[in-house]
Amino acid sequence: MKEIKGKNEQIGQYQKDEKIKIPYLFDLELKDLTDPITIRRIRVFQLVLVLSAVTFTGYIVWQNVFRSPTGVELINEMVDAAGGMVAWNNIQSGQFTRTQKVYDMAGKQLSEQKETFYFRKTDDGIKLMVKAIDNEGTEVIISEDDEGFWATKESSPTDPESISRDLGMMCDSQFCEPNCNMQMAFFRFSMPFKLTDYGVKPSVNNVSTLGLLDWNPLENIDLDSDPILLDISYIPTVGKDKWRFLVNPETKLIHKVEYYNKSDRGTYRPEEIYWTDHRTVDGITFSHKWVKFYSNGKVMNEYVYSDVSFNNQVDEDFFKRPEGMEWSLVNN
């Protein structure tokens, strides 16, 4: 009996030791034999977790590395690169000078005109005045007040519409007014901030540009990769023009603008402008040189910006006509 008891104790101890050495997965293997549905669910759940983790990681990488930005995202990045919306909204008034040179197809300069634009933001919109020096050195001032448009030439009153047309400051639209050039100049100067306005429909695409020129000036601009193409249209109640911006993917600055203006007859008139010499003034970064080219690579028009100030305090009375003036569109 003692021998049997001793052997039983040895067997019990052996079983105890063997139980300690049982592999961790033994229970799962046992369940697989006794309850295969349970273990199958466990394995399916593990597989789902692994696939979810891989999918989530892939999505994050795609979102942050490979995915192209949406139109709205790109505009926000462009605005930040230009100084930020807060900085632009804090600007209440200022001025900038634009010198325009016109050349023929052989490269000979035909004319030069210097225009200084003064602006002030109001609740009713932008108040504008332009002081232009034409090719003959004559000073012309054109503005608008509560009575209508007014203009002076060499400090003498003159018809604002006639003088504006003579200086090439009016388009061919039947609804054009003497401040047309001023409005468009400030509108383009306000890019990319104006792209956040109501009614703008942005989209990013990878289609090649229209290619109006036989020679591409962008080849001379140092870009590490192809520019991003941002197309802009508007909801019907806001506008009918179309724009395309070629944006540096690294700096998010504009290097080319294509403008498709729809005439009164319903035809689009394309225009290409190349933007270079980006500099920062009073916290706002913008191009100081805009150039249009002929198809042979010669410069057609050149716009150079200088004397820019976003801190210049332009008072409300600045835009009023001088005392004693009688000329205005209201009186004609």
Side-chain angles (χ1 to χ4, degrees):
M1 292 295 292
K2 290 183 178 180
E3 291 180 2
I4 295 174
K5 184 178 180 180
K7 288 181 179 181
N8 288 337
E9 289 177 355
Q10 290 178 358
I11 293 173
Q13 184 64 36
Y14 174 79
Q15 290 176 340
K16 184 178 180 181
D17 294 340
E18 286 297 317
K19 186 175 181 181
I20 295 175
K21 296 178 181 180
I22 292 176
Y24 176 74
L25 296 179
F26 180 80
D27 287 339
L28 293 181
E29 294 173 358
L30 184 61
K31 285 183 178 181
D32 194 28
L33 296 175
T34 59
D35 192 358
I37 295 179
T38 301
I39 189 59
R40 209 170 289 130
R41 288 173 178 172
I42 293 174
R43 288 175 176 172
V44 169
F45 180 71
Q46 291 173 335
L47 180 61
V48 169
L49 285 179
V50 172
L51 291 177
S52 299
V54 171
T55 302
F56 179 76
T57 302
Y59 175 77
I60 295 298
V61 172
W62 178 77
Q63 278 283 107
N64 293 279
V65 179
F66 298 106
R67 183 181 67 84
S68 298
T70 65
V72 173
E73 289 173 341
L74 179 57
I75 288 175
N76 290 336
E77 292 176 346
M78 293 165 63
V79 167
D80 290 340
M85 206 67 206
V86 173
W88 178 256
N89 288 335
N90 286 337
I91 297 172
Q92 296 303 313
S93 61
Q95 68 181 72
F96 57 88
T97 298
R98 186 179 72 176
T99 302
Q100 177 183 2
K101 296 180 181 181
V102 180
Y103 302 85
D104 62 17
M105 293 192 70
K108 179 182 177 181
Q109 182 174 326
L110 300 176
S111 65
E112 177 175 327
Q113 184 169 301
K114 180 175 289 187
E115 305 158 336
T116 299
F117 298 86
Y118 301 87
F119 67 89
R120 177 182 174 84
K121 297 178 181 178
T122 70
D123 294 337
D124 298 325
I126 301 293
K127 284 188 173 295
L128 293 164
M129 174 192 287
V130 61
K131 291 184 179 180
I133 306 297
D134 64 16
N135 203 39
E136 298 176 353
T138 304
E139 182 184 75
V140 175
I141 300 176
I142 305 172
S143 189
E144 181 183 12
D145 58 16
D146 294 337
E147 298 180 38
F149 294 101
W150 61 269
T152 61
K153 182 176 182 179
E154 294 184 321
S155 301
S156 298
T158 187
D159 177 29
E161 183 171 346
S162 297
I163 194 65
S164 181
R165 197 173 297 280
D166 291 343
L167 291 174
M169 293 185 177
M170 293 182 67
C171 64
D172 58 1
S173 171
Q174 58 180 324
F175 305 106
C176 188
E177 294 181 322
N179 66 346
C180 176
N181 178 268
M182 288 182 275
Q183 293 283 356
M184 180 57 74
F186 185 79
F187 182 81
R188 296 187 179 190
F189 187 77
S190 303
M191 295 296 180
F193 303 102
K194 291 297 293 181
L195 299 180
T196 63
D197 286 355
Y198 167 77
V200 174
K201 296 171 59 180
S203 63
V204 176
N205 66 72
N206 296 318
V207 181
S208 61
T209 57
L210 183 62
L212 303 178
L213 303 179
D214 297 330
W215 171 75
N216 184 10
L218 280 178
E219 295 176 354
N220 299 323
I221 298 177
D222 186 18
L223 295 177
D224 294 333
S225 56
D226 292 336
I228 303 173
L229 306 184
L230 174 67
D231 285 332
I232 297 295
S233 59
Y234 300 89
I235 61 176
T237 56
V238 173
K240 57 186 178 181
D241 295 344
K242 296 182 182 296
W243 299 77
R244 170 171 285 179
F245 297 88
L246 275 73
V247 182
N248 187 317
E250 285 79 32
T251 65
K252 300 302 186 295
L253 298 176
I254 299 170
H255 281 281
K256 179 186 175 186
V257 177
E258 296 177 8
Y259 175 50
Y260 304 91
N261 175 38
K262 195 172 185 178
S263 68
D264 292 342
R265 298 180 180 179
T267 58
Y268 281 104
R269 295 168 294 188
E271 178 184 6
E272 287 184 311
I273 308 175
Y274 292 82
W275 290 14
T276 59
D277 191 18
H278 294 81
R279 284 182 276 160
T280 302
V281 177
D282 297 332
I284 303 298
T285 302
F286 62 96
S287 167
H288 282 66
K289 187 175 182 179
W290 301 1
V291 183
K292 299 179 184 179
F293 293 92
Y294 290 106
S295 59
N296 63 358
K298 297 292 185 179
V299 174
M300 178 192 300
N301 294 78
E302 181 181 80
Y303 302 87
V304 176
Y305 289 86
S306 60
D307 301 324
V308 181
S309 173
F310 297 117
N311 295 321
N312 184 22
Q313 298 299 316
V314 182
D315 297 329
E316 188 78 20
D317 294 339
F318 181 79
F319 302 95
K320 291 184 178 180
R321 68 191 63 205
E323 294 290 337
M325 286 192 61
E326 298 178 355
W327 284 96
S328 73
L329 288 184
V330 175
N331 299 323
N332 291 330

